[in-house]
Amino acid sequence: MSEQYDVIVIGAGPAGYVAAIRCAQLGLQVACIDEYLDERGKPSPGGTCLNVGCIPSKALLESSHHYEQAQQQFAEHGIRVGQLELDVATLQKRKQQVVRDLTGGIQSLFKANKVAFHPGRATLQQNNRVKVTDHDNHATTLNAEHVILASGSRPVELPFAPFDDNQVVDSTGALAFDVVPQRLGIIGAGVIGLELGSVWQRLGAEVIVLEAQETFLPGADRDIAKQANKLLGQQGLDIRQGARVEAIHSGKTVKVDYTDGQGSQSLEFDKLIVAIGRRPNSEGLCADDLSPGIDERGFVQVDDHYRTNLEKVYAVGDLIPGPMLAHKGMEEGMAVAERIAGQYAEVDYDNIPFVIYTHPEIAWTGRTEQQLKDAGIDYRVGQFPFSANGRARAAGDTDGLIKVLADAHTDRVLGVHMLGPRASELIGQAVIARAFSTSAEDLALTMFAHPTLSESFHEAALDVGDRAIHRATSRKNKRK
Ligand code: FAD
Ligand code: NAD
C-alpha cells in the first residue's frame, strides 16, 4: 500500500518548504520530497537558496566586507590591526556552518509541523501518484489529492563553455573557491556576477565582468544604476558592457575571446564564473505521458490560483514565470497552500522588493522613472543623499541616495529606489508603505528615529513636496 497524503510538495526550496509547512498548519497531511544532498552526502532541505544561493552568498559577502573594512576603514577609526591575514578555509567553514544550521532548521520545522520529509528524486505520474527514488535507488510511490511542483531552477550554461567544476564554474562553484583566484573572469553583470564578483574582488582577486548588454542593470532606476556602476568601478570591479563572448579555451588558464565596440578582444583568467541567468527545473519532473504545460523557456504555466493544466497539480517559485527570488517563491508557497485549504490568498507582484547585496546595496520596489515615463504617468520625484544623513556619516558609509517617486495627482508612492548602506533592510519600509497605498505626504508626516539611515527615506518623501530639511539645495522639482 502506498502512503496517502492530502498534499505532496516536490522540492524543499523556499517555495516548496513554505508551502509544505503552511499546508500542515492548515491541518493537511503533507509530504515534501527533495533530492539535494550536501557536500557530506546528507539530505539538506532548503533548496538553492539555503544550500548554494542566498545564504552562502550573503555569508561570503559579510566575511569579505569585514576583510575589506579591516584593510581600508579601521585605520580612520583609530584601530590598528598589524599584519592582516586571510584564511579562506575558515571563511568557507563558517559559510558551511551557517548553511548547515539553517537547513537543519528546516528539518526541525518539518518535524514540528509533522511534514513527512522524503529525500530522493520525485516524478509525478498519472492520478497524482508520485514516484520517489531515494539515494540508494529504491523506489516507492506516494499518493496525494494535491501535488505542488516547486522544483526550482539551475544555472544556464554557455554552449561553448560547459561548466567543468574547476576552471569554468557556475555560482555553486564560485561559492566554494578554496583559494582567491588571482585573475577572475565573470560572464554576466547581473545579480550573481555583481555579488560574487564583489566577494572575490574584496578578498584580493582582479575581477573583470563581461556583460553582453550595453546598459548596466537595465531593470534598476537609471540614476541608481549609474551611481552604482561608478562606485563598483571605483572599488575595482572592471565591468565591460556590450561584450559578446564568442569562445573559451581552457588549458592552464581560461582564455576568453569576445568582441565589443572596439573589435575582437581576448583575456586570460585563472577562473571563470558563468552567471548568465537560471532556467527552471521542469525536465523529467513528470512521467512521459504527462505534461503540466511547459513554455518554450521551460517554465510551467499556471493560472492565478497556481493551477497547472493537470487536475489538482500546482506550481510555484522559480519553476513558474516571474522574478527568480526566494521571497517571491515563499509568498507563492503561502498562497497556494491557503488556496488548497479553501482560503483566499494573493501575491502582490507589483510590490516585490529587489535587492542586490553589493556595497553599497541596491534595492527597489515599484516603478522606475523610465517605466512611469513610458506609461505616460505624471509623477513627482523626491530624493535624499546618504552624505547628508547623520547616521551614515557616523558610520562613514555615505555613498548613495534614496529616491521616492509619487503620483503627481494622487501623491501615492509608485516607486522607491535605494543605493546605500543597509538598503536591503530599508526597502522593507517602502514595501510596507506601498502595500498600504501610502502617499508621500503620509510618509512625510510620519516620525522616524534619529539618527537612523531610515531618515533618508523620510527626507526623500519630504522632498517630494519640496520640504526636505537637511539638504543644502532645494530642487524646484519635479513634476515630470
Ligand atoms: P529552489 O530553491 O531551487 O529549490 C528547488 C528544490 O527542488 C531543490 O532543492 C532541488 O534539489 C529540488 N528538486 C528539483 N527537482 C526535484 C525532483 N524531481 N525531485 C526532488 N527534488 C527536486 N534570491 C533572493 O531572493 N535573494 C537572494 O539573495 C538570492 N541570492 C541568490 C544567490 C545565488 C548564488 C543564487 C544561485 C540564487 C540566489 N537567489 C536569491 C535566488 C533563489 O535562490 C531562488 O529564487 C530560490 O531558491 C527559488 O526557490 P524555489 O523553492 O522555487 O526553488
Ligand atoms: P541575471 O539575469 O541577474 O543576470 C544575467 C546577466 O548575464 C544579464 O545581465 C545578461 O544580460 C547577461 N548575459 C546573458 N547572456 C550573456 C552572454 N552570453 N554574455 C555576457 N552576458 C550575458 O542572472 P544571474 O545573475 O545568473 O542570477 C540568476 C537569478 O538568481 C536571477 O534571476 C536572480 O533573481 C537570482 N538571484 C537573486 C539575488 C538577489 O536577489 N540578491 C542574488 C543572486 C541571484
Side-chain angles (χ1 to χ4, degrees):
M1 260 273 292
S2 55
E3 291 174 45
Q4 178 71 39
Y5 293 93
D6 297 317
V7 183
I8 291 175
V9 184
I10 300 181
Y17 81 71
V18 167
I21 290 171
R22 188 70 192 122
C23 283
Q25 286 176 344
L26 291 165
L28 300 165
Q29 294 292 319
V30 189
C32 184
I33 307 160
D34 196 288
E35 66 180 341
Y36 184 79
L37 297 178
D38 70 10
E39 74 292 345
R40 298 165 302 175
K42 297 205 170 163
S44 183
T48 303
C49 175
L50 265 62
N51 286 293
V52 288
C54 325
I55 298 301
S57 59
K58 271 67 222 177
L60 294 186
L61 278 157
E62 206 64 39
S63 299
S64 60
H65 183 60
H66 287 318
Y67 181 66
E68 192 181 57
Q69 283 206 308
Q71 271 183 326
Q72 296 176 11
Q73 306 235 274
F74 280 11
E76 75 182 56
H77 291 267
I79 304 168
R80 280 189 290 275
V81 284
Q83 185 68 35
L84 201 61
E85 253 184 74
L86 179 66
D87 174 358
V88 179
T90 301
L91 172 147
Q92 289 289 13
K93 212 168 125 198
R94 175 187 176 276
K95 174 204 80 178
Q96 217 50 49
Q97 194 55 49
V98 172
V99 169
R100 275 181 206 163
D101 290 347
L102 289 171
T103 55
I106 303 294
Q107 309 221 35
S108 305
L109 288 173
F110 278 168
K111 271 197 195 116
N113 287 283
K114 301 198 167 44
V115 172
F117 178 50
H118 294 262
R121 171 140 190 106
T123 318
L124 177 66
Q125 301 182 320
Q126 293 287 354
N127 303 319
N128 289 355
R129 281 179 306 119
V130 177
K131 180 176 158 196
V132 185
T133 310
D134 72 14
H135 297 287
D136 296 321
N137 226 14
H138 293 134
T140 47
T141 302
L142 312 179
N143 290 323
E145 188 179 350
H146 306 271
V147 175
I148 301 173
L149 307 175
S151 54
S153 64
R154 63 182 185 285
V156 169
E157 219 166 11
L158 275 173
F160 52 84
F163 302 127
D164 61 16
D165 288 336
N166 175 30
Q167 277 184 321
V168 181
V169 298
D170 60 8
S171 53
T172 302
L175 287 166
F177 291 152
D178 53 7
V179 290
V180 179
Q182 214 182 336
R183 295 165 303 172
L184 174 63
I186 302 180
I187 303 183
V191 201
I192 292 179
L194 297 180
E195 291 186 2
L196 295 183
S198 294
V199 166
W200 295 108
Q201 181 270 323
R202 290 172 194 170
L203 297 178
E206 194 185 296
V207 181
I208 299 180
V209 189
L210 300 173
E211 166 59 50
Q213 299 195 68
E214 296 290 346
T215 311
F216 180 67
L217 290 180
D221 178 87
R222 284 302 82 215
D223 290 340
I224 300 276
K226 218 167 131 190
Q227 281 207 36
N229 195 1
K230 190 168 154 212
L231 289 168
L232 294 173
Q234 284 166 358
Q235 288 167 19
L237 270 189
D238 180 350
I239 303 168
R240 304 189 184 178
Q241 303 291 143
R244 285 182 307 282
V245 178
E246 273 148 6
I248 283 168
H249 316 274
S250 287
K252 251 178 113 179
T253 59
V254 195
K255 190 164 156 280
V256 178
D257 299 336
Y258 69 98
T259 50
D260 60 13
Q262 269 84 57
S264 297
Q265 316 280 352
S266 192
L267 288 167
E268 248 179 89
F269 301 109
D270 301 304
K271 299 273 182 194
L272 180 70
I273 305 173
V274 179
I276 57 167
R278 297 177 60 83
R279 54 175 296 136
N281 287 325
S282 50
E283 294 103 345
L285 192 54
C286 300
D288 293 344
D289 55 350
L290 214 58
S291 171
I294 297 173
D295 72 15
E296 68 289 348
R297 292 179 306 154
F299 290 101
V300 171
Q301 297 297 299
V302 290
D303 66 8
D304 291 349
H305 298 247
Y306 305 102
R307 289 179 299 213
T308 68
N309 62 13
L310 300 172
E311 179 81 15
K312 296 190 178 175
V313 176
Y314 312 78
V316 286
D318 280 10
L319 185 64
I320 67 170
M324 289 181 162
L325 295 172
H327 42 280
K328 175 251 187 198
M330 289 188 199
E331 289 301 307
E332 290 173 347
M334 291 283 279
V336 76
E338 292 180 0
R339 286 194 180 243
I340 288 172
Q343 300 187 353
Y344 178 77
E346 209 163 84
V347 175
D348 183 359
Y349 290 100
D350 191 38
N351 197 14
I352 297 179
F354 292 84
V355 179
I356 306 174
Y357 295 78
T358 46
H359 191 85
E361 293 177 339
I362 303 163
W364 71 91
T365 174
R367 314 273 192 98
T368 62
E369 279 205 55
Q370 195 56 54
Q371 287 167 336
L372 292 175
K373 278 188 188 128
D374 291 348
I377 296 170
D378 283 349
Y379 63 95
R380 291 172 66 84
V381 187
Q383 55 187 37
F384 194 78
F386 280 102
S387 56
N389 174 286
R391 185 70 191 275
R393 286 225 162 240
D397 213 348
T398 53
D399 286 328
L401 75 157
I402 295 186
K403 187 164 166 181
V404 172
L405 306 174
D407 189 291
H409 305 289
T410 65
D411 197 36
R412 187 174 170 174
V413 176
L414 301 175
V416 178
H417 303 272
M418 302 180 171
L419 171 71
R422 300 285 161 198
S424 56
E425 301 294 340
L426 295 174
I427 200 67
Q429 301 182 6
V431 172
I432 295 169
R434 292 193 66 243
F436 291 96
S437 303
T438 302
S439 66
E441 190 177 17
D442 290 331
L443 287 169
L445 293 171
T446 304
M447 196 187 300
F448 287 69
H450 176 77
T452 57
L453 297 170
S454 66
E455 286 175 291
S456 292
F457 183 37
H458 189 210
E459 291 271 7
L462 280 163
D463 191 46
V464 172
D466 283 331
R467 45 195 184 126
I469 298 296
H470 298 90
R471 281 185 66 132
T473 51
S474 162
R475 294 168 317 116
K476 280 293 166 216
N477 175 2
K478 284 149 153 297
R479 194 158 157 172
K480 308 263 175 124

